[in-house]
Amino acid sequence: MIRKTVSGVTEALVDIKDNMTFMLGGFGLCGIPENAIAELVKSNVKGLTCISNNAGVDNFGLGLLLQKKQIKKMISSYVGENDEFERQMLSGELDVELIPQGTLAERCRAAQGGFPAIYTPAGYGTEVAEGKETREFDGKMYVLEHAFKADFAFVKAWKGDEAGNLIFKGTARNFNPCMCGAAKITVAEVEELVPAGTLNPDHVHVPGIFVQRIFQGKNYEKRIEQRTVRKKQ
Amino acid sequence: MLDKNGIAKRIAKELQNGYFVNLGIGIPTLVANYIPQGIEVEFQSENGVLGMGPFPFEGEEDADIINAGKQTITTMPGASFFDSAMSFGMIRGQHVDLTILGAMEVSEKGDIANWKIPGKMVKGMGGAMDLVASAENIIVAMMHTNKAGESKLLKKCSLPLTGVGCVKKVVTNLAFLEVTDEGFKLIERAPGVSVEEIKNATEGNLIIEGDIPEMILD
């Protein structure tokens, strides 16, 4: 067994530097690497390019990095719910590349799986396809989209083991598995870190080969963006 | 004239047994409340769940189980969770039978604009571009005119496009229309709405053939 465990978030992020490109898992605030984000805020690294489906909210998630102006460029599919983001984008302080959500996932997966690029129908005929190669297959038009290149992927899972194997819970899975192994170094934080041999290999969602560092995270807030409920009869 | 729930109710009549359906945010979400009796459908949410159920009971909400609108949800028996790449594989691979989404503008060619107002609103396209580029069957749910009273069914969209030539049907507060090679074909009128009113509210080419029936909602 090849051990991937590190002592905690500080050791896991020891070699992050200014101007790096990071992938961050999560959909809205669901399944985001809360510990890694807190450490990035603390470390004060700047000039970052962040690949993440969303940009957090004003006072949580990637919004915390935006507040401190640590992010130079965001690559996302949906960035509502964040006033500071909107302000920085409209003022030109922040460079923003908006791309279709499925394209974002597939550009991660291409990087993970050794494809330099993929063809997708998403965005054909729109401004997303401007300047990109397009091609017809069986009478339908597709856009060439390149695999991402990133220095670190920060992902969050529910359970993990010493070998870096990961299991996710509910819709907190989202982009996290696609980003594992898609960057030079993948750092996984988990709610529960267990000894190797504890997880049933049949139940593993992401094999440890895609994860370089794993640690048990602390103090998860798991904020809910839209608390929608119904009354008990 | 229909309200938002009326639009959802009419669209729900387009559901067929065994359909996998993706519902967009806004009016489309309401369609889940009007599934016709005797029909089984499963709702997909692109953040990674198939078999989405109603909102949880108070106190049972789980931060790890949400829909694409970031709302807390529950799952139905037979539900599954998956990652974003697989989720969009379902969509691009046309395993999802029907997509229902809102729009700011639709053109007579079936183009749709719903993600950006330059200089004003830039929230991003989310999954909308993947959905409209891939789905075989797309129904748009929207008001016939904007707040200024201008038609949203146009010859050509003025806003940045989300997809080209993809919309098949449009249900508005005034009418049910199909997008054909010649333009918007009027299929049904909303209750109490005249053909004349629909004509006046439609900028794109409107095709009216014979008597146009009024919608039956129940």
Side-chain angles (χ1 to χ4, degrees):
Chain A
M1 196 263 299
I2 299 167
R3 288 177 65 88
K4 305 292 176 67
T5 46
V6 291
S7 57
V9 69
T10 308
E11 187 187 344
L13 273 67
V14 69
D15 42 3
I16 51 166
K17 293 189 177 70
D18 288 350
N19 304 311
M20 279 186 161
T21 298
F22 297 152
M23 291 175 168
L24 298 106
F27 185 98
L29 299 178
C30 182
I32 58 171
E34 292 185 20
N35 282 228
I37 291 169
E39 186 68 16
L40 290 173
V41 172
K42 212 169 98 187
S43 73
N44 222 13
V45 283
K46 287 201 156 52
L48 303 175
T49 296
C50 291
I51 300 162
S52 169
N53 188 54
N54 311 90
V57 295
D58 274 317
N59 57 7
F60 203 57
L62 284 178
L64 299 170
L65 291 172
L66 286 164
Q67 273 181 1
K68 284 183 67 191
K69 302 196 169 59
Q70 290 174 262
I71 302 177
K72 178 183 68 184
K73 182 177 182 182
M74 278 298 311
I75 302 173
S76 302
S77 88
Y78 189 83
V79 293
E81 8 281 356
N82 193 321
D83 293 338
E84 176 61 14
F85 183 98
E86 204 164 359
R87 193 197 62 73
Q88 288 185 24
M89 177 168 62
L90 294 172
S91 72
E93 290 165 64
L94 182 69
D95 186 9
V96 179
E97 186 182 342
L98 291 169
I99 60 173
Q101 197 173 129
T103 301
L104 179 70
E106 216 56 40
R107 288 177 70 185
C108 293
R109 196 161 69 164
Q112 175 194 67
F115 292 112
I118 50 113
Y119 281 104
T120 174
Y124 177 76
T126 76
E127 63 181 54
V128 162
E130 281 171 19
K132 291 175 186 165
E133 184 186 323
T134 56
R135 187 167 162 179
E136 186 184 324
F137 293 92
D138 296 328
K140 186 168 171 156
M141 294 305 294
Y142 295 81
V143 185
L144 186 75
E145 296 279 6
H146 290 266
F148 285 125
K149 290 187 171 73
D151 297 293
F152 280 85
F154 299 114
V155 304
K156 149 88 186 1
W158 178 44
K159 284 184 183 179
D161 70 11
E162 297 166 303
N165 295 308
L166 303 177
I167 293 178
F168 301 88
K169 178 170 160 264
T171 53
R173 192 181 315 189
N174 56 63
F175 288 84
N176 287 295
C178 318
M179 290 177 173
C180 289
K184 286 177 197 155
I185 295 174
T186 297
V187 174
E189 57 182 85
V190 296
E191 287 177 52
E192 190 186 351
L193 184 65
V194 298
T198 313
L199 301 179
N200 181 338
D202 271 335
H203 296 169
V204 168
H205 293 138
V206 170
I209 192 170
F210 292 124
V211 175
Q212 280 68 49
R213 301 170 191 173
I214 188 167
F215 65 93
Q216 183 167 304
K218 285 181 190 150
N219 307 320
Y220 283 104
E221 278 191 49
K222 294 211 208 175
R223 284 200 203 171
I224 292 174
E225 273 184 76
Q226 307 285 339
R227 187 179 299 274
T228 44
V229 294
R230 62 193 154 127
K231 287 235 182 299
K232 269 189 184 158
Q233 300 289 319
Chain B
M1 198 184 300
L2 299 175
D3 60 5
K4 288 179 177 180
N5 281 294
I7 294 173
K9 226 170 170 178
R10 177 59 191 86
I11 291 177
K13 291 183 71 180
E14 299 298 300
L15 298 174
Q16 290 182 25
N17 197 36
Y19 263 13
F20 292 102
V21 184
N22 182 290
L23 300 177
I25 295 164
I27 303 173
T29 308
L30 301 171
V31 173
N33 300 332
Y34 302 104
I35 305 167
Q37 285 242 318
I39 281 192
E40 283 282 345
V41 295
E42 252 186 57
F43 293 109
Q44 196 249 20
S45 196
E46 64 269 23
N47 59 314
V49 55
L50 194 60
M52 193 173 24
F55 294 149
F57 289 120
E58 267 179 325
E60 291 177 9
E61 59 272 28
D62 182 341
D64 289 329
I65 302 177
I66 63 167
N67 63 16
K70 286 111 182 174
Q71 297 171 312
T72 46
I73 53 153
T74 58
T75 53
M76 301 295 283
S80 55
F81 296 117
F82 34 85
D83 69 60
S84 301
M86 186 175 279
S87 181
F88 282 94
M90 288 175 197
I91 290 163
R92 282 190 313 269
Q94 300 185 340
H95 307 285
V96 174
D97 300 288
L98 174 65
T99 288
I100 303 167
L101 76 176
M104 297 191 252
E105 295 176 347
V106 175
S107 84
E108 63 187 35
K109 304 261 185 255
D111 299 346
I112 177 171
N114 72 352
W115 74 283
K116 184 179 184 182
I117 304 173
K120 264 194 195 162
M121 185 213 81
V122 190
K123 291 187 187 300
M125 66 291 281
M129 283 194 182
D130 305 271
L131 283 158
V132 301
S134 312
E136 278 283 296
N137 196 357
I138 298 175
I139 304 179
V140 164
M142 66 176 191
M143 292 295 151
H144 212 99
T145 54
N146 64 20
K147 282 181 185 137
E150 299 157 339
S151 181
K152 294 170 73 173
L153 287 88
L154 306 171
K155 291 192 181 310
K156 200 170 180 286
C157 293
S158 66
L159 295 169
L161 295 180
T162 309
V164 290
C166 50
V167 176
K168 301 289 187 290
K169 294 170 184 169
V170 182
V171 181
T172 73
N173 50 329
L174 304 183
F176 179 97
L177 309 106
E178 277 178 14
V179 180
T180 67
D181 291 343
E182 287 78 39
F184 298 109
K185 187 175 178 192
L186 184 56
I187 305 295
E188 296 171 4
R189 297 173 290 113
V193 175
S194 69
V195 169
E196 207 53 33
E197 284 172 81
I198 297 164
K199 254 190 195 169
N200 291 337
T202 309
E203 191 230 68
N205 192 33
L206 186 67
I207 301 156
I208 303 157
E209 284 174 6
D211 278 344
I212 306 298
E214 193 171 281
M215 282 175 200
I216 298 162
L217 289 173
D218 294 301

